[in-house]
Amino acid sequence: MDLSKQDLKYLPGVGPKKAELLNKELNLFSAEDLLYYFPYKYIDRSKIFRIREIDGNMPYIQLNGRITFFETFGEGRNRRLVAKFTDGTGFIDLVWFKGLKFVVEKYKLNKDYIIFGKPTLFSGRINIAHPDIDLPEELSSKGAGLSGLYNTTEKMKTHFLNSKAIQKIVFGLIQTVPQPMPETLSPEIIADARLISLDEALRNIHFPKNPDILRKAEYRLKFEELFYVQLNILRYAKERREKSDGFVFGKIGDYFNTFYTENLPFELTNAQKRVLREIRANVGSGKQMNRLLQGDVGSGKTLVALMSMLMALDNGYQACLMVPTEILANQHFESIRSLLEGMNVKVELLTGSTKKKKRTGLLAELQSGDIHILIGTHALIEEPVQFHNLGIVIIDEQHRFGVAQRSKLWKKNIRPPHVLVMTATPIPRTLAMTVYGDLDVSVIDELPPGRKPIQTILRFENKRAGLYEFIRKQIQAGRQIYIVYPLIQESEKMDFKNLEDGYEHIKEAFKEFRVCMVHGKMPAPEKDAEMQRFVSGEAHIMVATTVIEVGVNVPNASVMVIENAERFGLSQLHQLRGRVGRGAEQSYCILLASYKISADTRKRLSIMVESNDGFEIAEADLKLRGPGDLEGTLQSGDPFALKIADIVRDSQIMQFARNMAEQLLDHDPELNKDNHQIIKKQLMHLRNHTENWGIIS
Ligand code: ADP
Ligand code: MG
């Protein structure tokens, strides 16, 4: 019996309605999907609290007592049922907003129940909404002790598909699956990695017999997950090496040489030279390049990108540079155009706001090969964009491009073009491999000479007056100032108001200076005009959102003030800070925070004060906040998505799993040996669910 082919809807206690919810809300379709839907945490159901002990801050708890009466309140949508519940040490309200009739009929007054739920404080009283209710004897038959909690959605809860209901379905499923469930790792690996069997792991991850076996179950499942991720990457890497030939940029020609000898405005740093050699070796080798270029903000990645593109031009290919925002596209366009001044290179810009007529012309010139370098935003990967002969794709600030978007680029030429992904948010190598597949990595670990480290200062709201004095002095000395406000999706309306109020307030406070404003929602022409006022030096202060986070380059700006700094992630703060310190003057980054921030937040912000090193900050951010976006990139519907392992916290297990996978492939690259069939089968099984995404990093 293949559990992956067994439709959920036929499982005991499911049926078509619940199955549909599980499909839609949790992306679960088969019995196997459900079996691999693990609890997100466990609570100890052996402990019973007294009502007098509890407060509104506790996690899930258990009480043992009786309902003394039911009462309903409100009308229509506000209708709710409240049960008074007591255990002799006090009273608590149990509250229901749905299924009122069912509850009143099912539960008897003055009968002994075990209730389970999360206490919350509401208008001065503690209540538990939609508690689980069991008879004491029911509970003991299910086995007390550790009980799993499953994530569900609001919609599921209103249809009575809560954590407990899922647990019940899983319980039913586990009774019917073959015993033991078929193994998915070979006996050697199980022995070498000291793992428990899959059968034992799956049963205990849902219904742990004790904390010790739960830990072993978690370890087994994490290991297995990471092992197959690594095995998959390693196999694809091998296939890519064997099959995926790349264009050969065999020569360094006039474009590159002219640029190097005549146009290059400064000496390259040693790190830039080394990275260019790495890229050159790669694109000349006949193998397709798939490379991540990491370099801190301001380390000069743009120049490396440009010179890599010139290598393509020298060999008769076109190049494109893709960036996440229009502002950045414009900036790159301007700066690359000026860097190439006097050279016969046709550079064009294509973004969402390129006018139709212009666009049509561009597309034709692109197809005929008249355009050498195309710079743009997402617009570049849209269907009608056809190149004559695209040889290299450069992706800047790549953390904003998903795998799916990148894979579209793949189809722009007969063979996959070389790909260089640039990022200023460095991530540990093991992490990069897991998230982006098998990439080669180049690092610019040196800043251009003459940069003064930016001084970062944490200030609380109440010191605003002093700060304004400081800003005034800086402007009088000829500098320019950024003031950044958070604009974050969820609370956009309010944030927007803050931004506009801030703008008015700054204009008022700095009447003698000129202030401009830029944010993402502005029409492009207006945005450009405001940007231009700042770039030209006409405006002294720019009030902005994080749209300026990437790329914007105004060397005369020496102060960056970040309002509500506590609301930004560290990597984002580091990016923002990178907008200053680009000129010869001492630069400052002032983090303004509310007085009320927590100790954790203070610690986070103090990392910014202490360090200017993007690598260090990225690692600290990862530790503090978890992989966030990175994991998001990996998870979009991918069967290799991590269900239990955490790429940061479990990095040791990941390294171990990778070593095991490497060893295995060293001995048996094709997985042809008898005792490896089990692994081959499982790998194919996992791969069957997916497109060939591994080939694009
Ligand atoms: P990032 O890596 O953040 O994209 P940029 O490419 O924007 O950095 O470069 C930052 C600034 O440093 C630019 O003004 C650029 O002209 C300058 N720069 C780049 N390389 C060098 C170098 N080798 N020497 C001096 N300045 C450089
Ligand atoms: Mg850049």
Side-chain angles (χ1 to χ4, degrees):
M1 177 178 53
D2 184 349
L3 292 173
S4 69
K5 299 218 167 68
Q6 201 179 334
D7 194 326
L8 269 180
K9 98 178 139 218
Y10 303 116
L11 295 180
V14 183
K17 264 201 178 141
K18 283 187 181 151
E20 198 185 322
L21 276 170
L22 291 167
N23 297 166
K24 286 205 176 123
E25 298 290 303
L26 298 181
N27 213 17
L28 305 177
F29 294 88
S30 67
E32 181 182 78
D33 292 344
L34 188 64
L35 207 50
Y36 281 82
Y37 190 67
F38 304 138
Y40 68 95
K41 70 171 189 185
Y42 301 84
I43 25 111
D44 185 354
R45 295 207 66 168
S46 54
K47 165 96 182 151
I48 294 196
F49 283 84
R50 305 290 192 114
I51 292 181
R52 73 162 132 69
E53 296 173 311
I54 64 177
D55 60 49
N57 294 321
M58 291 173 123
Y60 287 84
I61 54 150
Q62 229 166 194
L63 300 168
N64 184 358
R66 298 168 308 281
I67 295 171
T68 56
F69 64 88
F70 285 110
E71 205 174 352
T72 51
F73 296 91
E75 285 305 318
R77 288 170 134 259
N78 291 323
R79 213 167 125 79
R80 63 189 193 278
L81 173 70
V82 176
K84 276 275 171 268
F85 185 84
T86 182
D87 64 357
T89 73
F91 285 88
I92 190 173
D93 289 346
L94 310 179
V95 187
W96 289 266
F97 303 96
K98 300 259 171 178
L100 277 48
K101 191 159 163 273
F102 169 84
V103 172
V104 175
E105 278 168 12
K106 172 148 187 197
Y107 301 111
K108 307 277 177 294
L109 297 182
N110 295 313
K111 195 174 162 80
D112 221 19
Y113 288 119
I114 304 278
I115 67 136
F116 170 77
K118 181 170 172 17
T120 43
L121 195 63
F122 184 73
S123 23
R125 298 165 65 91
I126 292 178
N127 72 57
I128 296 182
H130 287 244
D132 288 352
I133 300 187
D134 290 295
L135 294 167
E137 54 273 21
E138 270 178 355
L139 204 61
S140 52
S141 75
K142 277 187 211 157
L146 291 169
S147 173
L149 285 185
Y150 297 82
N151 266 320
T152 58
T153 64
E154 270 320 301
K155 188 153 176 212
M156 290 170 65
K157 282 183 196 132
T158 60
H159 290 82
F160 297 100
L161 201 50
N162 55 11
S163 171
K164 190 180 170 188
I166 293 191
Q167 190 178 43
K168 211 167 150 184
I169 297 169
V170 174
F171 189 76
L173 172 60
I174 282 195
Q175 309 308 307
T176 62
V177 295
Q179 201 159 7
M181 286 178 248
E183 202 28 85
T184 43
L185 287 170
S186 65
E188 296 80 27
I189 287 185
I190 291 177
D192 287 354
R194 297 160 180 268
L195 304 173
I196 61 173
S197 72
L198 181 67
D199 184 81
E200 218 182 348
L202 283 176
R203 287 176 204 276
N204 278 284
I205 201 77
H206 291 288
F207 301 97
K209 287 201 201 84
N210 56 56
D212 183 49
I213 188 109
L214 174 59
R215 264 196 306 278
K216 286 180 177 144
E218 283 172 343
Y219 185 76
R220 148 89 207 208
L221 294 165
K222 284 178 178 182
F223 175 89
E224 167 155 8
E225 201 166 81
L226 294 167
F227 175 79
Y228 278 108
V229 166
Q230 296 298 339
L231 193 64
N232 189 47
I233 290 169
L234 292 168
R235 287 277 300 158
Y236 270 126
K238 188 170 171 300
E239 280 166 27
R240 205 184 77 218
R241 276 195 295 276
E242 282 162 5
K243 288 196 201 119
S244 172
D245 293 341
F247 302 122
V248 183
F249 298 173
K251 63 172 187 196
I252 289 292
D254 284 350
Y255 287 115
F256 190 98
N257 287 329
T258 309
F259 180 78
Y260 192 77
T261 51
E262 286 169 30
N263 285 45
L264 192 61
F266 25 61
E267 179 73 4
L268 293 174
T269 63
N270 286 329
Q272 283 170 319
K273 285 184 192 161
R274 171 173 43 75
V275 164
L276 277 167
R277 277 198 300 274
E278 287 165 7
I279 292 170
R280 160 106 171 87
N282 200 159
V283 296
S285 71
K287 298 294 174 206
Q288 183 237 344
M289 177 167 75
N290 217 10
R291 184 171 292 272
L292 183 68
L293 173 57
Q294 299 191 337
D296 209 344
V297 185
S299 61
K301 294 187 292 293
T302 315
L303 211 51
V304 170
L306 174 58
M307 293 175 78
S308 308
M309 295 197 285
L310 295 177
M311 292 179 200
L313 268 53
D314 275 335
N315 291 276
Y317 294 93
Q318 291 167 296
C320 82
L321 170 61
M322 187 157 77
V323 302
T325 67
E326 282 197 19
I327 289 184
L328 186 53
N330 279 311
Q331 277 236 326
H332 275 322
F333 178 60
E334 294 301 334
S335 67
I336 286 181
R337 264 244 274 237
S338 80
L339 281 165
L340 293 174
E341 192 143 336
M343 287 178 63
N344 186 19
V345 179
K346 193 163 165 60
V347 186
E348 287 292 349
L349 177 70
L350 180 66
T351 68
S353 54
T354 306
K355 292 279 178 313
K356 196 160 178 236
K357 201 168 152 215
K358 169 95 180 157
R359 171 183 301 257
T360 315
L362 278 183
L363 293 181
E365 285 180 313
L366 204 57
Q367 214 157 5
S368 68
D370 287 349
I371 294 174
H372 297 109
I373 295 178
L374 184 66
I375 297 172
T377 54
H378 294 70
L380 286 188
I381 58 173
E382 279 158 19
E383 226 20 82
V385 182
Q386 296 286 338
F387 290 82
H388 174 66
N389 196 7
L390 179 63
I392 189 167
V393 176
I394 315 247
I395 301 173
D396 197 8
E397 311 295 356
Q398 129 309 317
H399 54 289
R400 286 146 189 245
F401 280 110
V403 171
Q405 286 170 315
R406 274 181 274 150
S407 73
K408 284 194 189 171
L409 270 169
W410 235 234
K411 306 188 175 107
K412 300 281 176 200
N413 207 344
I414 326 146
R415 276 190 201 162
H418 296 298
V419 176
L420 183 68
V421 177
M422 308 198 290
T423 177
T425 320
I427 52 174
R429 190 177 152 73
T430 46
L431 198 56
M433 288 185 316
T434 308
V435 180
Y436 302 117
D438 182 75
L439 285 164
D440 296 309
V441 179
S442 288
V443 182
I444 306 185
D445 50 5
E446 180 187 359
L447 293 179
R451 297 267 170 85
K452 291 203 182 100
I454 302 160
Q455 220 170 310
T456 302
I457 301 157
L458 176 60
R459 278 271 173 280
F460 294 106
E461 279 291 344
N462 54 349
K463 296 278 169 57
R464 212 171 257 278
L467 171 64
Y468 285 7
E469 236 359 86
F470 172 72
I471 291 179
R472 209 161 255 124
K473 289 219 178 80
Q474 286 281 313
I475 301 178
Q476 277 155 2
R479 307 283 95 76
Q480 289 167 284
I481 317 289
Y482 291 106
I483 302 182
V484 177
Y485 284 80
L487 187 62
I488 296 163
Q489 222 87 49
E490 301 112 61
S491 50
E492 214 167 324
K493 262 203 181 122
M494 221 179 77
D495 284 339
F496 196 72
K497 186 163 180 329
N498 282 342
L499 173 74
E500 298 213 301
D501 289 353
Y503 179 53
E504 292 307 320
H505 163 79
I506 295 291
K507 276 203 297 198
E508 191 60 34
F510 294 95
K511 272 208 178 90
E512 70 271 43
F513 300 124
R514 286 180 295 274
V515 184
C516 65
M517 175 164 77
V518 174
H519 60 79
K521 288 263 144 58
M522 272 176 163
E526 198 182 323
K527 197 157 57 185
D528 290 346
E530 290 289 279
M531 271 311 290
Q532 204 43 50
R533 286 181 65 204
F534 194 67
V535 174
S536 70
E538 189 223 318
H540 303 99
I541 300 179
M542 173 185 274
V543 173
T545 61
T546 51
V547 290
I548 62 153
E549 174 188 357
V550 282
V552 175
N553 193 13
V554 179
N556 189 47
S558 66
V559 180
M560 156 96 24
V561 178
I562 303 176
E563 297 270 354
N564 292 110
E566 71 272 17
R567 292 185 55 197
F568 294 87
L570 284 185
S571 294
Q572 205 173 19
L573 288 173
H574 183 62
Q575 282 282 336
L576 280 169
R577 178 168 63 181
R579 297 311 108 210
V580 295
R582 301 186 153 239
E585 304 303 326
Q586 175 62 53
S587 291
Y588 304 88
C589 174
I590 291 131
L591 308 173
L592 271 176
S594 141
Y595 213 69
K596 288 185 296 229
I597 55 173
S598 66
D600 276 357
T601 307
R602 196 180 283 237
K603 187 170 145 211
R604 208 155 59 80
L605 292 176
S606 69
I607 294 173
M608 288 299 295
V609 173
E610 282 153 24
S611 176
N612 260 317
D613 179 335
F615 281 77
E616 221 173 273
I617 291 168
E619 251 173 31
D621 207 14
L622 271 172
K623 280 201 191 104
L624 288 170
R625 296 203 318 162
D629 288 356
L630 288 176
E631 215 163 47
T633 325
L634 186 68
Q635 275 181 345
S636 45
D638 194 306
F640 289 94
L642 303 179
K643 297 180 184 76
I644 184 163
D646 175 311
I647 47 183
V648 179
R649 247 179 300 143
D650 300 318
S651 61
Q652 270 180 317
I653 306 181
M654 177 150 76
Q655 195 56 55
F656 180 50
R658 182 164 177 106
N659 294 344
M660 297 281 274
E662 270 169 357
Q663 251 175 48
L664 176 71
L665 290 178
D666 283 349
H667 289 126
D668 184 11
E670 299 300 323
L671 299 176
N672 283 337
K673 296 199 175 132
D674 274 355
N675 49 353
H676 297 152
Q677 289 319 297
I678 207 166
I679 291 172
K680 190 170 193 168
K681 195 170 145 219
Q682 180 67 3
L683 185 63
M684 291 306 147
H685 176 59
L686 291 169
R687 273 193 189 190
N688 270 341
H689 293 262
T690 183
E691 267 195 285
N692 185 347
W693 67 273
I695 202 154
I696 158 123
S697 53

